Amino acid sequence: MKTLKMALCQAVLTLSVLTMLAQSNLPPLRSQHITFSQPALDPFSGLPTSAVTICLESKGEQQCFSPPTQGPAFGLNPKAKLVQLGLGKEAILYTVEASGGGSGTAIFISLLQNSSLHASSPDLENLLPKVILTEQSQYQFWSEPVISKTKLFITANYVWNHGETHFSRHRFRISSYLFEQQNGFYELRDEYITAKKYPSLDEVDRVKVLEAERSQILLRLRRQQ
Protein backbone atom coordinates (compact mmCIF):
# COMPACT_ATOMS: atom_id res chain seq x y z
CA MET A 1 0.00 0.00 0.00
CA LYS A 2 2.96 2.30 0.68
CA THR A 3 4.19 1.78 -2.90
CA LEU A 4 0.70 2.50 -4.22
CA LYS A 5 0.46 5.74 -2.25
CA MET A 6 3.85 6.86 -3.56
CA ALA A 7 2.79 6.13 -7.12
CA LEU A 8 -0.45 8.08 -6.71
CA CYS A 9 1.37 11.02 -5.18
CA GLN A 10 3.67 11.05 -8.18
CA ALA A 11 0.62 11.36 -10.42
CA VAL A 12 -0.01 14.93 -9.28
CA LEU A 13 3.56 16.15 -9.57
CA THR A 14 4.26 18.92 -12.09
CA LEU A 15 7.43 18.63 -14.10
CA SER A 16 9.29 21.24 -16.15
CA VAL A 17 10.60 20.27 -19.55
CA LEU A 18 13.15 22.34 -21.52
CA THR A 19 13.55 21.39 -25.17
CA MET A 20 14.77 22.75 -28.49
CA LEU A 21 12.20 21.17 -30.82
CA ALA A 22 12.49 22.81 -34.23
CA GLN A 23 9.03 22.60 -35.79
CA SER A 24 8.02 25.98 -37.17
CA ASN A 25 4.34 25.14 -37.59
CA LEU A 26 3.82 23.73 -34.08
CA PRO A 27 4.00 25.22 -30.59
CA PRO A 28 7.42 24.19 -29.21
CA LEU A 29 7.86 21.93 -26.21
CA ARG A 30 10.29 24.50 -24.83
CA SER A 31 9.41 25.57 -21.28
CA GLN A 32 6.15 23.65 -21.25
CA HIS A 33 4.99 22.00 -18.04
CA ILE A 34 3.91 18.38 -17.76
CA THR A 35 1.01 17.58 -15.46
CA PHE A 36 -0.60 14.27 -14.54
CA SER A 37 -4.27 13.87 -13.66
CA GLN A 38 -5.38 12.24 -10.40
CA PRO A 39 -7.01 8.85 -11.20
CA ALA A 40 -10.25 7.72 -9.58
CA LEU A 41 -9.69 4.99 -6.98
CA ASP A 42 -11.64 1.88 -6.08
CA PRO A 43 -12.87 2.42 -2.48
CA PHE A 44 -12.11 -1.18 -1.49
CA SER A 45 -8.82 -2.05 -3.20
CA GLY A 46 -7.43 1.47 -3.50
CA LEU A 47 -6.42 0.70 -7.08
CA PRO A 48 -7.09 3.17 -9.92
CA THR A 49 -10.30 2.80 -11.90
CA SER A 50 -9.34 5.47 -14.45
CA ALA A 51 -6.22 6.20 -16.43
CA VAL A 52 -3.73 8.97 -15.72
CA THR A 53 -3.94 11.68 -18.39
CA ILE A 54 -0.77 13.58 -19.22
CA CYS A 55 -0.95 17.22 -20.34
CA LEU A 56 1.55 19.74 -21.67
CA GLU A 57 0.76 23.30 -20.67
CA SER A 58 2.20 26.59 -21.90
CA LYS A 59 0.89 30.17 -21.97
CA GLY A 60 -2.63 29.12 -21.05
CA GLU A 61 -2.82 26.44 -23.75
CA GLN A 62 -2.94 22.72 -23.07
CA GLN A 63 -2.56 19.49 -25.03
CA CYS A 64 -3.32 16.14 -23.40
CA PHE A 65 -3.11 12.40 -23.97
CA SER A 66 -4.90 9.51 -22.24
CA PRO A 67 -3.87 5.84 -22.38
CA PRO A 68 -6.41 3.37 -23.79
CA THR A 69 -9.31 2.44 -21.55
CA GLN A 70 -9.07 -1.04 -20.08
CA GLY A 71 -9.47 -2.93 -16.84
CA PRO A 72 -7.39 -2.62 -14.74
CA ALA A 73 -6.79 1.01 -15.65
CA PHE A 74 -3.43 2.56 -16.53
CA GLY A 75 -3.34 4.69 -13.40
CA LEU A 76 -0.13 3.80 -11.54
CA ASN A 77 3.41 5.19 -11.52
CA PRO A 78 3.20 7.70 -14.39
CA LYS A 79 6.57 8.88 -15.66
CA ALA A 80 7.60 11.31 -18.38
CA LYS A 81 10.96 12.34 -19.79
CA LEU A 82 12.36 14.06 -22.84
CA VAL A 83 13.84 11.80 -25.53
CA GLN A 84 16.13 12.93 -28.34
CA LEU A 85 15.11 11.03 -31.49
CA GLY A 86 17.64 12.48 -33.93
CA LEU A 87 17.31 14.78 -36.94
CA GLY A 88 16.22 17.56 -34.58
CA LYS A 89 13.22 15.55 -33.39
CA GLU A 90 12.33 15.30 -29.72
CA ALA A 91 9.37 13.82 -27.89
CA ILE A 92 8.06 13.01 -24.43
CA LEU A 93 8.37 9.36 -23.41
CA TYR A 94 5.31 8.67 -21.23
CA THR A 95 4.93 5.39 -19.35
CA VAL A 96 2.15 4.38 -16.95
CA GLU A 97 1.25 1.07 -15.32
CA ALA A 98 -1.86 -1.02 -14.64
CA SER A 99 -2.26 -3.65 -11.93
CA GLY A 100 -5.07 -5.84 -10.69
CA GLY A 101 -3.35 -6.24 -7.33
CA GLY A 102 -1.39 -9.40 -8.19
CA SER A 103 2.22 -9.97 -9.11
CA GLY A 104 1.82 -8.97 -12.75
CA THR A 105 1.63 -5.45 -14.16
CA ALA A 106 1.09 -3.98 -17.62
CA ILE A 107 3.09 -0.98 -18.82
CA PHE A 108 1.73 1.34 -21.51
CA ILE A 109 4.43 3.16 -23.46
CA SER A 110 3.84 6.22 -25.63
CA LEU A 111 6.05 8.76 -27.38
CA LEU A 112 4.27 12.10 -27.48
CA GLN A 113 4.55 15.28 -29.53
CA ASN A 114 2.34 18.30 -30.06
CA SER A 115 -0.40 17.43 -32.52
CA SER A 116 0.53 18.04 -36.15
CA LEU A 117 -3.14 18.31 -37.10
CA HIS A 118 -3.60 21.77 -35.65
CA ALA A 119 -1.50 23.95 -33.39
CA SER A 120 -4.36 24.38 -30.90
CA SER A 121 -5.48 20.73 -30.96
CA PRO A 122 -6.37 19.45 -27.47
CA ASP A 123 -4.62 16.15 -28.11
CA LEU A 124 -0.98 15.16 -27.98
CA GLU A 125 0.08 12.80 -30.75
CA ASN A 126 1.48 9.34 -29.97
CA LEU A 127 4.26 8.45 -32.42
CA LEU A 128 4.16 4.77 -31.42
CA PRO A 129 1.56 2.14 -32.25
CA LYS A 130 -0.15 0.56 -29.24
CA VAL A 131 2.76 -0.73 -27.13
CA ILE A 132 1.99 -2.57 -23.88
CA LEU A 133 4.70 -4.49 -22.03
CA THR A 134 4.76 -6.49 -18.80
CA GLU A 135 6.73 -6.21 -15.59
CA GLN A 136 9.25 -8.62 -17.16
CA SER A 137 10.28 -6.53 -20.12
CA GLN A 138 12.90 -4.13 -21.41
CA TYR A 139 12.94 -1.29 -23.93
CA GLN A 140 15.67 0.93 -25.35
CA PHE A 141 16.32 3.60 -27.97
CA TRP A 142 19.29 2.80 -30.22
CA SER A 143 21.27 5.07 -32.53
CA GLU A 144 22.05 3.12 -35.71
CA PRO A 145 22.50 5.64 -38.57
CA VAL A 146 23.13 2.88 -41.14
CA ILE A 147 19.62 1.56 -40.52
CA SER A 148 17.77 4.78 -39.67
CA LYS A 149 18.66 8.44 -39.20
CA THR A 150 16.16 8.47 -36.32
CA LYS A 151 16.64 6.31 -33.22
CA LEU A 152 15.30 2.75 -33.25
CA PHE A 153 12.84 1.78 -30.52
CA ILE A 154 13.41 -1.84 -29.42
CA THR A 155 11.41 -3.87 -26.87
CA ALA A 156 11.77 -7.30 -25.25
CA ASN A 157 8.75 -8.87 -23.52
CA TYR A 158 8.66 -12.30 -21.89
CA VAL A 159 6.70 -15.20 -23.40
CA TRP A 160 5.14 -17.47 -20.78
CA ASN A 161 5.25 -21.02 -22.13
CA HIS A 162 3.74 -24.24 -20.76
CA GLY A 163 5.56 -25.62 -17.73
CA GLU A 164 7.20 -22.32 -16.80
CA THR A 165 6.51 -20.41 -13.60
CA HIS A 166 5.73 -16.70 -13.69
CA PHE A 167 9.20 -15.40 -12.87
CA SER A 168 11.33 -18.29 -14.12
CA ARG A 169 13.52 -18.16 -17.22
CA HIS A 170 11.60 -17.35 -20.40
CA ARG A 171 12.06 -16.74 -24.07
CA PHE A 172 11.39 -13.14 -25.08
CA ARG A 173 9.55 -11.51 -27.96
CA ILE A 174 11.79 -8.89 -29.57
CA SER A 175 9.99 -6.06 -31.41
CA SER A 176 11.81 -3.42 -33.47
CA TYR A 177 10.10 -0.12 -34.34
CA LEU A 178 11.51 2.29 -36.93
CA PHE A 179 10.48 5.86 -37.62
CA GLU A 180 8.86 6.26 -41.04
CA GLN A 181 9.67 9.66 -42.49
CA GLN A 182 6.73 9.60 -44.93
CA ASN A 183 3.99 9.36 -42.30
CA GLY A 184 5.89 10.71 -39.29
CA PHE A 185 5.25 7.75 -36.98
CA TYR A 186 7.08 4.69 -35.67
CA GLU A 187 6.04 1.37 -37.21
CA LEU A 188 6.78 -2.24 -36.30
CA ARG A 189 9.53 -3.33 -38.68
CA ASP A 190 10.61 -6.72 -37.26
CA GLU A 191 9.61 -9.20 -34.57
CA TYR A 192 10.88 -12.58 -33.40
CA ILE A 193 11.08 -14.83 -30.31
CA THR A 194 14.52 -15.54 -28.90
CA ALA A 195 15.99 -19.00 -29.40
CA LYS A 196 17.27 -19.15 -25.82
CA LYS A 197 15.71 -18.44 -22.45
CA TYR A 198 16.88 -15.52 -20.33
CA PRO A 199 16.76 -14.95 -16.56
CA SER A 200 13.59 -13.31 -15.29
CA LEU A 201 12.68 -11.80 -11.93
CA ASP A 202 13.36 -15.00 -9.97
CA GLU A 203 17.07 -14.52 -10.68
CA VAL A 204 17.62 -10.86 -11.54
CA ASP A 205 16.30 -7.48 -10.41
CA ARG A 206 16.04 -6.18 -13.97
CA VAL A 207 15.58 -7.96 -17.29
CA LYS A 208 18.61 -7.68 -19.61
CA VAL A 209 17.83 -9.27 -22.94
CA LEU A 210 18.44 -6.59 -25.55
CA GLU A 211 22.16 -6.40 -24.86
CA ALA A 212 22.59 -10.12 -25.60
CA GLU A 213 20.31 -10.01 -28.66
CA ARG A 214 21.66 -6.78 -30.16
CA SER A 215 23.71 -8.34 -32.96
CA GLN A 216 20.79 -10.56 -34.01
CA ILE A 217 18.34 -7.64 -33.95
CA LEU A 218 20.57 -5.45 -36.11
CA LEU A 219 21.34 -8.29 -38.53
CA ARG A 220 17.62 -8.88 -39.10
CA LEU A 221 16.99 -5.16 -39.67
CA ARG A 222 19.89 -4.80 -42.11
CA ARG A 223 18.57 -7.72 -44.16
CA GLN A 224 15.32 -5.82 -44.67
CA GLN A 225 16.98 -2.74 -46.17
Side-chain angles (χ1 to χ4, degrees):
M1 186 60 68
K2 182 178 179 180
T3 302
L4 175 60
K5 289 181 178 178
M6 292 176 62
L8 293 176
C9 288
Q10 186 178 11
V12 296
L13 292 177
T14 301
L15 307 176
S16 292
V17 177
L18 298 177
T19 76
M20 297 295 292
L21 185 62
Q23 295 185 358
S24 60
N25 62 329
L26 296 177
L29 295 176
R30 185 190 313 114
S31 300
Q32 291 195 36
H33 293 284
I34 294 177
T35 61
F36 297 129
S37 68
Q38 176 68 54
L41 302 180
D42 183 278
F44 299 102
S45 68
L47 291 171
T49 58
S50 65
V52 173
T53 296
I54 181 174
C55 294
L56 268 64
E57 301 177 347
S58 178
K59 298 180 180 179
E61 295 186 356
Q62 185 181 75
Q63 286 189 318
C64 300
F65 175 83
S66 295
T69 301
Q70 69 162 48
F74 288 108
L76 291 171
N77 200 26
K79 297 177 181 179
K81 69 176 183 178
L82 182 66
V83 176
Q84 306 285 342
L85 300 178
L87 293 178
K89 300 180 186 297
E90 299 178 340
I92 302 297
L93 176 67
Y94 174 47
T95 64
V96 62
E97 300 175 12
S99 173
S103 59
T105 58
I107 307 167
F108 179 77
I109 301 177
S110 55
L111 195 58
L112 305 177
Q113 284 188 344
N114 298 100
S115 174
S116 61
L117 299 177
H118 194 275
S120 60
S121 169
D123 298 321
L124 291 168
E125 201 166 54
N126 184 10
L127 303 184
L128 293 175
K130 188 176 181 179
V131 177
I132 299 176
L133 302 179
T134 66
E135 75 288 340
Q136 296 191 106
S137 64
Q138 184 184 16
Y139 61 87
Q140 293 179 349
F141 288 92
W142 292 355
S143 294
E144 293 291 336
V146 174
I147 296 174
S148 175
K149 300 300 182 183
T150 309
K151 287 185 179 179
L152 317 180
F153 179 64
I154 314 293
T155 68
N157 201 20
Y158 86 111
V159 178
W160 193 347
N161 289 321
H162 179 72
E164 298 174 348
T165 60
H166 189 179
F167 297 120
S168 66
R169 289 180 171 240
H170 299 289
R171 290 183 173 85
F172 282 73
R173 184 182 306 278
I174 307 295
S175 302
S176 300
Y177 300 88
L178 271 65
F179 187 80
E180 298 293 340
Q181 296 291 344
Q182 290 185 343
N183 59 27
F185 293 91
Y186 276 84
E187 294 182 358
L188 179 64
R189 178 65 62 86
D190 185 61
E191 195 168 61
Y192 71 95
I193 296 176
T194 60
K196 62 176 290 187
K197 294 183 179 182
Y198 287 93
S200 295
L201 299 184
D202 270 344
E203 302 178 49
V204 295
D205 294 330
R206 184 169 60 88
V207 169
K208 295 182 180 180
V209 176
L210 296 180
E211 294 83 352
E213 292 286 324
R214 187 180 183 107
S215 60
Q216 175 70 1
I217 294 168
L218 296 179
L219 177 61
R220 291 174 63 94
L221 290 174
R222 290 192 188 103
R223 286 174 175 171
Q224 297 182 26
Q225 290 184 298

